[in-house]
Amino acid sequence: MEFLREDSRSLDQLREARIITGFTMHAEGSVLIEMGNTKVICTASISEKLPPFLRNKGRGWVTAEYSMLPRATEDRNIREAAKGKLSGRTMEIQRLIGRSLRACIDLEKLGERSITVDCDVIQADGGTRTASITGGFIALAIAVNKLIAEGKLPENPILSNVAAISVGIVGDKPMIDLKYTEDAAAQVDMNVIMNADGEYVEVQGTGEEATYSRAELNAMLDLAEQGIKELVEMQNKAIEEGSN
Amino acid sequence: MEFLREDSRSLDQLREARIITGFTMHAEGSVLIEMGNTKVICTASISEKLPPFLRNKGRGWVTAEYSMLPRATEDRNIREAAKGKLSGRTMEIQRLIGRSLRACIDLEKLGERSITVDCDVIQADGGTRTASITGGFIALAIAVNKLIAEGKLPENPILSNVAAISVGIVGDKPMIDLKYTEDAAAQVDMNVIMNADGEYVEVQGTGEEATYSRAELNAMLDLAEQGIKELVEMQNKAIEEGSN
Amino acid sequence: MEFLREDSRSLDQLREARIITGFTMHAEGSVLIEMGNTKVICTASISEKLPPFLRNKGRGWVTAEYSMLPRATEDRNIREAAKGKLSGRTMEIQRLIGRSLRACIDLEKLGERSITVDCDVIQADGGTRTASITGGFIALAIAVNKLIAEGKLPENPILSNVAAISVGIVGDKPMIDLKYTEDAAAQVDMNVIMNADGEYVEVQGTGEEATYSRAELNAMLDLAEQGIKELVEMQNKAIEEGSN
Amino acid sequence: MEFLREDSRSLDQLREARIITGFTMHAEGSVLIEMGNTKVICTASISEKLPPFLRNKGRGWVTAEYSMLPRATEDRNIREAAKGKLSGRTMEIQRLIGRSLRACIDLEKLGERSITVDCDVIQADGGTRTASITGGFIALAIAVNKLIAEGKLPENPILSNVAAISVGIVGDKPMIDLKYTEDAAAQVDMNVIMNADGEYVEVQGTGEEATYSRAELNAMLDLAEQGIKELVEMQNKAIEEGSN
Amino acid sequence: MEFLREDSRSLDQLREARIITGFTMHAEGSVLIEMGNTKVICTASISEKLPPFLRNKGRGWVTAEYSMLPRATEDRNIREAAKGKLSGRTMEIQRLIGRSLRACIDLEKLGERSITVDCDVIQADGGTRTASITGGFIALAIAVNKLIAEGKLPENPILSNVAAISVGIVGDKPMIDLKYTEDAAAQVDMNVIMNADGEYVEVQGTGEEATYSRAELNAMLDLAEQGIKELVEMQNKAIEEGSN
Amino acid sequence: MEFLREDSRSLDQLREARIITGFTMHAEGSVLIEMGNTKVICTASISEKLPPFLRNKGRGWVTAEYSMLPRATEDRNIREAAKGKLSGRTMEIQRLIGRSLRACIDLEKLGERSITVDCDVIQADGGTRTASITGGFIALAIAVNKLIAEGKLPENPILSNVAAISVGIVGDKPMIDLKYTEDAAAQVDMNVIMNADGEYVEVQGTGEEATYSRAELNAMLDLAEQGIKELVEMQNKAIEEGSN
């Protein structure tokens, strides 16, 4: 692949990633994840209380919330708190993050407690939902390690890492980790969430007023698989670093 | 495939489908679509007015709304109007229906008007979102044909049919068109939206506290492709019938 | 009365009525009621749980909800769920339906359970609230018969049928069962809700930027009384049919 | 009628009424109306601007709003502003007041302006909605007289007084102007709104988990007619007094 | 100070104040307080129930709510109940009233009950929040005296009176008790809440697109101290009168 | 003052402050301000459009919004966007920030544009509102300098710096810049907002279920004055640094 992108990346190249653990002091797990110019604060908050409808079932719960600072984007967005309701986009994203994180953890082994993963985008340049999943898993794993260190969990409930990346077709070319300008120009936009064993947790591929063939689908899945592997390695380093 | 399901279907067999056109009298396009016990009223309403942010751009708009009657399901659900807000699930579904329908129509050829497709589930037994897309397309096409018959459209803006079906993995077996009990037991739940040319409009595959392999993904896509072909034929008959 | 109306009815003639029992499969009682072009799905849902403020009082509760599909009408209406609140009109109607149904049932004999009657208008041509009461009673009675058949009720709590019809003054003539165009032109619009013994449950007569005399009030009440008798007979047939 | 009520009134006797005009200083029309212990501040506010959907139709608009102070009643009620929405009861009442007031005014002669009548109950003892209509008309008429005095109206748009009173059946006896304890015990509760010519503007009669005969309906209407005549006289004195 | 204000007051002169106790009949404490043309109904409602998060702590709670009738002001305001939310201004004011009242009462001695003080402005001419505090304290004290008289409180929980007044700088002159036109022209607007011992409960001084010096701050505080003394005397007379 | 606080500060000593300019890339002005462990992202967003009610008045507008990430605090807070409304606390704070910033700028010289200053607390340890004002001013000034550099402003509209600090009385001792544990234990909590000339923009002093004397008020104002001077110097350095 010789074609170079706007920021000189090759088609299968991730943006430069950076993970700062312990980014804020109160949360049981906390990271700042940067994928290029996309920056998300992910915190994991443990509560020993479950919401009423989940109590007394011998299992815990993991949920996620997602938000953007109003000026995370090129133009300022009105706060959802000011509008008085969450947008459909926000709900869709936070449901996706929650589902993805729950796929990587044995809720029975977690015990009757809940962990809320908050993903707050402080700067956006495409791929905020996939960065939230990748970073959210790190915060979650650090919080779980804290529970283990405190002797509150007899067994590690984490089943496997979960990480996510966007792939897409831009100018008829499949490519990975789209930045905002690429995303805006994409014919197809796909988010792939996988575990450390190369199995799918979720695949969402959307033609943007366009359609795509099975061959294109396969090309995108190939790209994603490779990228996820790199992310899983980064996660493991960060979790080790953040759990001490 | 010799294995028989709860309702004696084979793994690749759709439920019995029925489409009644002209189901209600006011809408420009109106059908009742039944996929087994799932029943959805789909209406297409034409408005010669666009929402303010879409005006004067030389193109129209297609949007969708989705709702369930409170007792469409086994247990009665509280109305979203009474709760004062749409659930995340509803928003996700109506955004999906809208995106899917827009992928099949040339918005510039539609002209500066909007079409709203309402999908109201009066009885639910799994697959309500895919039935809504399949039925919603029929209502939309009938409404467009009405515009053409009235001389309001110089050219047909419909690019291709769009239809949708659910596939999944239940008891480790890939199968098509899951009814509610199958859906509740599924390890993987996938919705496939395709056009008449066999291209993807959208693919959404979710592991339900589980993951799936690429081989399983491919098996599900194979099933979906066949089912969509059958649905497209049914759509064409209904559209012809409903456009006179 | 020789004067003929738009649809060739005489002044004291009801529109053609049709009642389909068992219209949807999940509800304990379910009918589609049609009064001419007005079509309403009425379902009765039994819950063995009472809302907190009604518990431990040795009596049950019957309540009603009312809604219109967005394109039940000539022009599409915005969904109340999307607006985030019920309109005053909806609240007024569902309070009226609930009060009317409670007047026909002994809540102590019902026992500590609640029945919710949902009235969803799928096509509107005037008289939707009265059709909802007439059809809602049928759904309620079928659900109660189901409780009796299951041995859950020692005694039938139904006191009497309740049925409703609109009357009005259009072009200075009193007439019954107004269709939409008549309703829109009416000087006076009155809804009469009666039981099977010819007693009033509720009378609401409104001058539409007009007033009316006592003689006119009496003429409208005479018309309503006759119409209600016909509706009660239809109800009884449908309840018998729907309770097997 | 020799039977005496809790407060020693005869069955056809209104409670002592008091009307203070000019009760607050900013509104174009303002009264405090007291019917026994029920006290309502009614103000009429003129705006030279119509809401968008009513503009350029050559006619004005009259609307009403109704509220209770939280401790107007025996037990404190939560404010609707705090709950974030109007109750069904409030909506029903303010729609009734608005309809009733519009029945007494020629909106074309009012010109392209709107008048909002606010009815705020500061102390409640039954009959707050009828007191609001009776008092609201006075405020409205005073405001209209102000417009006439300022030369802004070539012709008086008021067609006739409108006044309202409650009647009901308590302990099988028809009686007028129910105070709270009577209202709570009533089998039938009816609100009658009439103009100065003895014609009906609106009649609403509700059996409270009970029904009523035509003879009872007539007895209540007879009582109401007499009471309304007395109220119309009081209104006229107050309007004269308040218009100078 | 010879300079005379619009209404001929000297700079340190309060407006004429009037307090009517027992203004409404249901509340445990109820006053109408008038400071010039500003008129506020203050009621204190006792509840033997605490909100869940305050229960079982061996102490009670005092809270306040504030509202204006829509036509309390020169121009009609839209009701907050109709808008579906409280404005920032209302929230700020009712939090201030609540904090101020709580500073004057020993919540442990009050016992596990709550008192809600409702301040409803029926006519506004500046200084509504300070009148609400001054009048609200009277209603609160009367309600507390009722509890004492009923033998429900072994000891008086009131620590000291709390009263409030506005001061400000208008046309470079510090003055007390600003009426609306003065308030609108003020460079600095300050609300001072003090107890009967001349100690501060709260001081809020705001430059209105302006700033102020320490000398000006001191001049305003001097004025306030004198005014509060007068108000405390009036409160004591009213409490005595209202507690019999 | 020899007494040392929990973190070894003297009573008149500010916490260590750090200001990072250019913290996010999209906003016209952006800083991270840290006062000890309190960390706030402040961004200033310029819009060339004014809200409708402010248009065509020959002047601009400055407004502020304030929020906390859910896990900025010891315990996780529910998001206001999820609750569907802003708390009274949030509204009070953002109104205070907005008023304070407007006091330092000539809105006419700003021209018909608006600047929104967003203050998002990512970590909280007391004094978040004062840090928001101090940091918000820096973001605002950098954004204004950008307008000047682009030739969009003929004259600098900034009148003076505005900075804020908390002071209070803890354990009977007046002290400056309270961290959370001090704030929670404070008898009096005061926020002082001043300009670079030592004049007050706003003073808010609240007894927390306590009162305070004039001498104590004066001691707190003395402490604040000194602290504000230090903050103004820091602001000037940061603005210079951030404006290149």
Side-chain angles (χ1 to χ4, degrees):
Chain A
M1 293 186 186
E2 296 123 299
F3 172 89
L4 287 187
R5 301 203 244 166
E6 197 189 319
D7 55 2
S8 306
R9 281 187 290 152
S10 60
L11 296 175
D12 61 352
Q13 191 182 347
L14 297 177
R15 288 178 287 179
E16 195 167 353
R18 192 162 71 120
I19 295 165
I20 301 174
T21 57
F23 189 69
T24 62
M25 74 182 189
H26 295 297
E28 284 73 27
S30 164
V31 305
L32 174 73
I33 182 167
E34 304 185 3
M35 298 288 294
N37 284 322
T38 289
K39 302 185 184 188
V40 188
I41 300 175
C42 304
T43 59
S45 298
I46 299 170
S47 164
E48 295 296 323
K49 248 164 79 172
L50 280 170
F53 63 99
L54 290 168
R55 286 178 200 156
N56 305 318
K57 303 201 171 167
R59 62 206 304 261
W61 189 241
V62 172
T63 188
E65 297 195 2
Y66 169 94
S67 183
M68 277 200 187
L69 294 203
R71 196 59 195 283
T73 44
E74 181 77 31
D75 295 309
R76 187 178 180 276
N77 289 300
I78 299 174
R79 285 174 197 268
E80 294 182 323
K83 283 194 274 192
K85 60 178 177 179
L86 301 177
S87 70
R89 178 185 176 277
T90 292
M91 288 222 214
E92 218 171 285
I93 293 175
Q94 59 192 25
R95 281 158 57 90
L96 172 64
I97 302 170
R99 270 198 317 272
S100 300
L101 295 177
R102 282 191 296 277
C104 77
I105 190 162
D106 182 323
L107 293 173
E108 274 156 45
K109 290 192 185 152
L110 180 58
E112 294 216 342
R113 54 174 61 86
S114 70
I115 303 184
T116 302
V117 175
D118 287 290
C119 303
D120 286 89
V121 180
I122 63 175
Q123 194 172 278
D125 188 27
T128 62
R129 80 186 70 186
T130 48
S132 294
I133 292 169
T134 304
F137 176 76
I138 303 170
L140 175 64
I142 291 171
V144 164
N145 284 346
K146 195 161 183 288
L147 284 172
I148 295 171
E150 292 169 357
K152 292 188 179 154
L153 282 179
E155 218 178 331
N156 192 336
I158 302 282
L159 300 167
S160 172
N161 285 31
V162 62
I165 197 68
S166 77
V167 284
I169 297 179
V170 187
D172 294 323
K173 287 195 176 55
M175 57 180 69
I176 197 166
D177 194 14
L178 282 57
K179 63 197 292 283
Y180 178 71
T181 46
E182 292 169 336
D183 189 64
Q187 298 144 256
V188 185
D189 180 20
M190 178 173 275
N191 293 299
V192 181
I193 297 107
M194 298 181 86
N195 69 11
D197 303 324
E199 297 229 294
Y200 298 108
V201 171
E202 184 133 353
V203 172
Q204 292 195 340
T206 305
E208 304 283 346
E209 301 188 13
T211 56
Y212 56 104
S213 69
R214 186 124 175 205
E216 289 171 319
L217 173 66
N218 282 323
M220 291 186 286
L221 292 174
D222 290 342
L223 282 171
E225 199 172 331
Q226 185 52 39
I228 296 278
K229 272 188 200 149
E230 295 179 39
L231 292 171
V232 167
E233 274 177 48
M234 289 181 49
Q235 287 181 322
N236 288 339
K237 261 185 240 163
I239 293 165
E240 205 188 314
E241 190 186 297
S243 300
N244 298 313
Chain B
M1 294 187 186
E2 296 123 300
F3 173 89
L4 287 187
R5 302 202 243 169
E6 196 189 322
D7 55 2
S8 306
R9 281 187 288 151
S10 60
L11 296 175
D12 62 351
Q13 191 182 345
L14 297 178
R15 288 179 287 179
E16 197 167 351
R18 192 162 71 120
I19 295 165
I20 301 174
T21 57
F23 189 69
T24 62
M25 76 184 189
H26 295 298
E28 284 73 27
S30 165
V31 306
L32 175 72
I33 182 167
E34 303 184 3
M35 297 291 293
N37 283 322
T38 289
K39 301 185 185 189
V40 188
I41 300 176
C42 303
T43 59
S45 298
I46 299 170
S47 163
E48 295 297 323
K49 249 164 77 170
L50 280 170
F53 63 97
L54 290 168
R55 286 180 199 153
N56 306 317
K57 304 201 170 165
R59 60 206 306 260
W61 189 241
V62 172
T63 188
E65 298 194 2
Y66 169 93
S67 183
M68 277 201 187
L69 293 204
R71 196 59 195 281
T73 44
E74 183 77 30
D75 294 308
R76 187 178 181 275
N77 290 299
I78 298 174
R79 286 174 196 270
E80 294 182 322
K83 283 192 275 192
K85 61 177 176 179
L86 300 176
S87 70
R89 179 185 175 274
T90 292
M91 288 221 214
E92 217 170 285
I93 293 176
Q94 61 191 22
R95 282 159 56 92
L96 172 65
I97 303 171
R99 272 199 314 272
S100 298
L101 295 177
R102 283 192 296 277
C104 77
I105 191 163
D106 182 323
L107 293 172
E108 273 155 47
K109 289 193 183 150
L110 179 60
E112 294 216 341
R113 55 173 62 83
S114 69
I115 302 184
T116 303
V117 175
D118 286 292
C119 302
D120 285 89
V121 180
I122 61 175
Q123 194 172 277
D125 188 28
T128 62
R129 80 186 70 187
T130 48
S132 294
I133 293 168
T134 305
F137 175 76
I138 304 170
L140 175 64
I142 291 171
V144 164
N145 284 347
K146 194 162 183 286
L147 283 173
I148 295 171
E150 292 168 358
K152 290 185 181 158
L153 282 181
E155 218 176 331
N156 191 337
I158 301 284
L159 300 167
S160 173
N161 285 31
V162 63
I165 196 69
S166 76
V167 284
I169 297 179
V170 187
D172 293 324
K173 287 194 175 56
M175 56 180 70
I176 197 166
D177 196 12
L178 282 58
K179 65 196 291 281
Y180 178 72
T181 46
E182 292 169 336
D183 190 62
Q187 299 144 255
V188 185
D189 180 20
M190 178 173 275
N191 294 298
V192 181
I193 297 108
M194 297 181 85
N195 70 9
D197 303 324
E199 297 228 295
Y200 298 109
V201 171
E202 183 132 354
V203 171
Q204 292 196 340
T206 306
E208 303 284 346
E209 300 186 14
T211 56
Y212 56 103
S213 69
R214 185 125 177 205
E216 289 171 319
L217 173 66
N218 281 325
M220 291 187 285
L221 291 175
D222 290 342
L223 282 171
E225 196 171 332
Q226 183 53 38
I228 297 276
K229 272 187 198 151
E230 294 178 41
L231 291 171
V232 166
E233 274 177 48
M234 288 181 50
Q235 286 181 323
N236 288 339
K237 264 185 236 161
I239 294 165
E240 204 189 316
E241 193 186 297
S243 300
N244 296 313
Chain C
M1 294 185 186
E2 295 122 299
F3 173 89
L4 287 187
R5 301 202 244 167
E6 199 189 320
D7 56 3
S8 306
R9 281 188 289 151
S10 60
L11 297 175
D12 62 352
Q13 191 181 347
L14 297 178
R15 288 179 287 179
E16 196 166 352
R18 194 162 71 119
I19 295 164
I20 301 174
T21 57
F23 189 69
T24 61
M25 74 184 189
H26 294 297
E28 284 72 27
S30 164
V31 306
L32 175 71
I33 182 167
E34 305 185 2
M35 298 289 294
N37 282 323
T38 289
K39 301 184 184 188
V40 188
I41 299 176
C42 303
T43 60
S45 297
I46 298 169
S47 164
E48 297 296 322
K49 251 169 71 175
L50 281 170
F53 63 99
L54 290 168
R55 284 177 200 155
N56 305 319
K57 305 203 170 164
R59 61 207 305 258
W61 189 241
V62 173
T63 188
E65 297 194 2
Y66 168 96
S67 183
M68 277 201 186
L69 295 203
R71 196 56 195 283
T73 44
E74 183 78 30
D75 294 309
R76 188 178 180 277
N77 289 299
I78 298 173
R79 286 174 196 269
E80 294 182 323
K83 282 192 275 192
K85 61 176 177 178
L86 301 176
S87 69
R89 178 185 176 276
T90 292
M91 288 222 214
E92 217 171 285
I93 292 175
Q94 60 193 24
R95 282 159 56 92
L96 172 65
I97 302 171
R99 269 198 317 270
S100 298
L101 295 176
R102 282 191 296 277
C104 77
I105 191 163
D106 182 322
L107 294 172
E108 274 156 46
K109 291 193 183 151
L110 180 58
E112 294 216 341
R113 55 174 61 84
S114 69
I115 303 183
T116 303
V117 175
D118 286 292
C119 303
D120 286 89
V121 180
I122 63 175
Q123 194 171 277
D125 188 27
T128 62
R129 80 186 70 185
T130 48
S132 294
I133 293 168
T134 304
F137 175 76
I138 303 170
L140 175 63
I142 291 171
V144 164
N145 284 346
K146 195 161 181 289
L147 284 173
I148 294 172
E150 292 168 359
K152 290 185 182 156
L153 281 180
E155 220 177 329
N156 192 336
I158 302 283
L159 300 168
S160 173
N161 286 31
V162 63
I165 197 67
S166 75
V167 284
I169 297 179
V170 187
D172 294 324
K173 288 193 177 55
M175 56 180 70
I176 197 166
D177 195 15
L178 281 59
K179 65 197 291 284
Y180 177 72
T181 47
E182 291 169 337
D183 190 63
Q187 300 144 254
V188 185
D189 180 19
M190 178 173 275
N191 293 299
V192 181
I193 298 108
M194 298 181 86
N195 69 10
D197 303 323
E199 297 228 294
Y200 298 108
V201 170
E202 184 133 352
V203 171
Q204 292 195 340
T206 305
E208 302 284 347
E209 300 188 14
T211 56
Y212 56 104
S213 68
R214 185 125 176 206
E216 288 170 320
L217 172 66
N218 281 323
M220 290 187 286
L221 291 175
D222 290 342
L223 281 171
E225 197 172 330
Q226 183 51 41
I228 296 278
K229 273 188 198 150
E230 294 179 40
L231 291 171
V232 167
E233 274 176 49
M234 290 180 48
Q235 286 181 322
N236 288 338
K237 263 186 238 162
I239 293 165
E240 205 189 314
E241 192 185 297
S243 300
N244 297 312
Chain D
M1 295 185 185
E2 294 122 299
F3 173 90
L4 287 187
R5 301 201 244 168
E6 197 189 320
D7 55 2
S8 308
R9 278 188 290 152
S10 59
L11 298 174
D12 62 350
Q13 190 181 346
L14 298 178
R15 288 180 286 178
E16 199 168 348
R18 192 161 72 120
I19 296 164
I20 301 174
T21 57
F23 189 70
T24 62
M25 75 183 191
H26 295 299
E28 284 72 28
S30 164
V31 305
L32 174 73
I33 182 168
E34 304 184 2
M35 297 290 293
N37 282 323
T38 289
K39 302 185 184 187
V40 188
I41 300 176
C42 304
T43 59
S45 296
I46 299 169
S47 164
E48 295 296 321
K49 248 165 79 170
L50 280 169
F53 62 98
L54 289 168
R55 283 178 202 154
N56 305 318
K57 302 201 171 167
R59 60 207 303 262
W61 189 242
V62 172
T63 190
E65 297 193 3
Y66 168 94
S67 183
M68 276 201 188
L69 294 203
R71 197 57 195 282
T73 45
E74 182 77 29
D75 294 308
R76 188 178 180 275
N77 290 298
I78 299 174
R79 287 174 194 269
E80 295 183 321
K83 284 193 274 193
K85 61 176 175 178
L86 299 178
S87 69
R89 178 185 176 274
T90 293
M91 288 222 212
E92 219 171 283
I93 293 175
Q94 61 192 24
R95 283 158 57 90
L96 172 64
I97 302 171
R99 270 198 317 272
S100 299
L101 295 177
R102 283 192 295 278
C104 76
I105 191 163
D106 182 324
L107 293 172
E108 274 157 46
K109 288 194 184 150
L110 180 60
E112 294 217 341
R113 55 173 62 84
S114 69
I115 302 184
T116 302
V117 175
D118 286 291
C119 303
D120 287 88
V121 180
I122 61 174
Q123 193 172 279
D125 187 27
T128 62
R129 80 186 70 186
T130 47
S132 294
I133 293 169
T134 304
F137 175 76
I138 302 170
L140 175 64
I142 292 171
V144 164
N145 283 347
K146 195 163 182 285
L147 284 172
I148 294 172
E150 293 168 359
K152 290 185 181 158
L153 282 180
E155 219 176 331
N156 191 336
I158 302 284
L159 300 167
S160 174
N161 285 32
V162 62
I165 197 68
S166 76
V167 284
I169 296 180
V170 187
D172 294 323
K173 288 193 175 58
M175 56 180 69
I176 197 165
D177 196 13
L178 282 59
K179 65 199 289 285
Y180 177 71
T181 47
E182 292 169 335
D183 190 62
Q187 299 144 255
V188 185
D189 180 19
M190 178 173 276
N191 293 298
V192 181
I193 298 108
M194 298 181 85
N195 69 10
D197 303 324
E199 297 227 295
Y200 298 108
V201 171
E202 184 132 353
V203 171
Q204 292 195 341
T206 304
E208 302 285 345
E209 300 188 14
T211 57
Y212 55 104
S213 68
R214 185 125 175 205
E216 289 171 320
L217 172 66
N218 281 323
M220 290 187 286
L221 292 175
D222 290 342
L223 282 172
E225 199 172 329
Q226 184 52 39
I228 297 277
K229 271 188 199 150
E230 294 178 40
L231 292 171
V232 166
E233 273 176 49
M234 288 180 49
Q235 286 181 322
N236 288 339
K237 261 186 238 161
I239 294 165
E240 206 189 313
E241 192 184 298
S243 299
N244 296 313
Chain E
M1 293 185 185
E2 296 122 299
F3 172 89
L4 287 188
R5 302 203 243 167
E6 198 189 320
D7 55 3
S8 305
R9 280 189 288 152
S10 59
L11 296 176
D12 62 352
Q13 189 182 349
L14 297 178
R15 289 181 286 179
E16 196 167 352
R18 193 162 69 121
I19 295 166
I20 302 175
T21 57
F23 189 69
T24 62
M25 73 184 189
H26 294 298
E28 285 72 28
S30 165
V31 305
L32 175 72
I33 182 168
E34 303 184 3
M35 298 289 293
N37 283 322
T38 288
K39 302 184 184 188
V40 188
I41 299 176
C42 303
T43 59
S45 298
I46 299 170
S47 164
E48 295 297 322
K49 251 167 75 173
L50 280 170
F53 63 99
L54 290 168
R55 285 179 200 154
N56 305 319
K57 304 202 169 163
R59 61 205 307 258
W61 189 241
V62 172
T63 189
E65 298 196 2
Y66 168 94
S67 183
M68 276 201 188
L69 294 203
R71 196 58 194 283
T73 44
E74 181 79 29
D75 294 308
R76 188 179 180 275
N77 289 300
I78 299 174
R79 285 174 196 269
E80 294 182 324
K83 282 192 274 192
K85 60 176 177 179
L86 300 177
S87 69
R89 180 186 174 275
T90 291
M91 288 221 215
E92 218 171 284
I93 292 175
Q94 60 192 23
R95 282 158 57 90
L96 172 64
I97 302 171
R99 269 198 317 270
S100 298
L101 295 177
R102 282 192 296 278
C104 76
I105 191 163
D106 182 323
L107 293 171
E108 274 156 47
K109 290 193 185 151
L110 180 59
E112 293 216 341
R113 54 174 61 84
S114 69
I115 303 184
T116 303
V117 175
D118 286 291
C119 303
D120 286 89
V121 180
I122 62 174
Q123 194 172 278
D125 187 28
T128 62
R129 80 186 68 187
T130 48
S132 295
I133 293 169
T134 304
F137 175 76
I138 303 171
L140 175 64
I142 292 171
V144 164
N145 283 346
K146 195 161 182 289
L147 284 172
I148 295 172
E150 292 167 359
K152 291 185 180 155
L153 283 180
E155 220 178 331
N156 192 336
I158 302 284
L159 301 167
S160 172
N161 286 31
V162 62
I165 197 67
S166 76
V167 284
I169 296 180
V170 188
D172 294 323
K173 288 194 176 54
M175 55 180 70
I176 197 165
D177 195 15
L178 281 59
K179 65 197 292 282
Y180 178 71
T181 46
E182 291 169 338
D183 189 63
Q187 297 145 256
V188 185
D189 180 19
M190 178 173 277
N191 293 298
V192 180
I193 298 108
M194 297 181 86
N195 69 11
D197 303 323
E199 297 229 294
Y200 297 109
V201 171
E202 183 133 354
V203 171
Q204 291 195 341
T206 306
E208 302 285 346
E209 301 186 14
T211 55
Y212 57 103
S213 67
R214 185 125 175 206
E216 288 171 319
L217 173 66
N218 282 323
M220 291 188 284
L221 292 174
D222 290 341
L223 282 171
E225 198 172 330
Q226 182 53 39
I228 297 276
K229 272 187 200 150
E230 295 179 40
L231 292 170
V232 167
E233 273 177 49
M234 289 181 50
Q235 287 181 322
N236 288 340
K237 263 185 238 161
I239 293 165
E240 203 189 315
E241 190 185 298
S243 299
N244 298 312
Chain F
M1 293 185 187
E2 293 122 301
F3 172 89
L4 285 187
R5 302 203 244 168
E6 197 189 321
D7 55 2
S8 308
R9 279 187 290 151
S10 60
L11 297 175
D12 62 351
Q13 191 182 345
L14 296 178
R15 288 180 286 179
E16 196 168 350
R18 191 163 71 120
I19 295 165
I20 302 174
T21 57
F23 188 70
T24 62
M25 76 183 189
H26 296 299
E28 283 74 26
S30 164
V31 306
L32 175 72
I33 182 167
E34 304 184 3
M35 297 291 294
N37 282 323
T38 289
K39 302 185 184 188
V40 188
I41 300 176
C42 305
T43 60
S45 297
I46 299 170
S47 164
E48 295 296 322
K49 248 164 79 170
L50 280 169
F53 63 98
L54 289 169
R55 284 178 201 154
N56 305 318
K57 303 202 169 165
R59 60 208 303 262
W61 189 240
V62 172
T63 188
E65 298 195 2
Y66 169 94
S67 183
M68 276 202 188
L69 294 202
R71 197 57 195 282
T73 45
E74 182 78 29
D75 294 308
R76 188 179 181 274
N77 290 299
I78 299 175
R79 285 174 196 269
E80 295 183 321
K83 284 193 274 192
K85 59 178 177 180
L86 300 177
S87 69
R89 179 185 174 274
T90 293
M91 287 223 214
E92 218 171 284
I93 293 176
Q94 60 192 23
R95 283 158 56 90
L96 171 66
I97 303 171
R99 270 200 315 272
S100 298
L101 295 176
R102 283 192 297 278
C104 76
I105 191 163
D106 182 324
L107 294 172
E108 272 156 47
K109 288 192 184 152
L110 180 59
E112 294 217 342
R113 55 174 62 84
S114 68
I115 302 183
T116 302
V117 175
D118 286 291
C119 302
D120 286 88
V121 180
I122 62 175
Q123 194 172 278
D125 187 27
T128 62
R129 80 187 69 187
T130 48
S132 295
I133 292 168
T134 304
F137 175 75
I138 303 171
L140 175 64
I142 292 171
V144 164
N145 284 346
K146 195 162 183 286
L147 285 173
I148 295 171
E150 291 167 0
K152 291 184 181 158
L153 282 180
E155 217 175 332
N156 192 337
I158 301 283
L159 301 167
S160 173
N161 285 32
V162 62
I165 197 68
S166 77
V167 283
I169 296 179
V170 187
D172 295 323
K173 288 195 175 56
M175 56 180 69
I176 197 165
D177 195 14
L178 281 58
K179 64 196 292 282
Y180 178 72
T181 45
E182 292 169 336
D183 190 62
Q187 299 144 256
V188 185
D189 181 19
M190 179 173 274
N191 293 298
V192 180
I193 298 108
M194 296 181 86
N195 70 9
D197 303 324
E199 297 229 295
Y200 298 108
V201 171
E202 184 133 352
V203 171
Q204 292 195 341
T206 304
E208 303 284 345
E209 302 187 12
T211 55
Y212 55 105
S213 68
R214 187 127 176 204
E216 288 171 320
L217 173 66
N218 281 325
M220 291 187 285
L221 291 176
D222 290 341
L223 281 171
E225 198 172 330
Q226 183 52 39
I228 296 277
K229 271 188 199 148
E230 294 178 41
L231 292 170
V232 166
E233 273 176 49
M234 289 181 49
Q235 287 181 323
N236 288 339
K237 262 185 238 164
I239 294 165
E240 204 189 315
E241 190 185 298
S243 299
N244 297 315

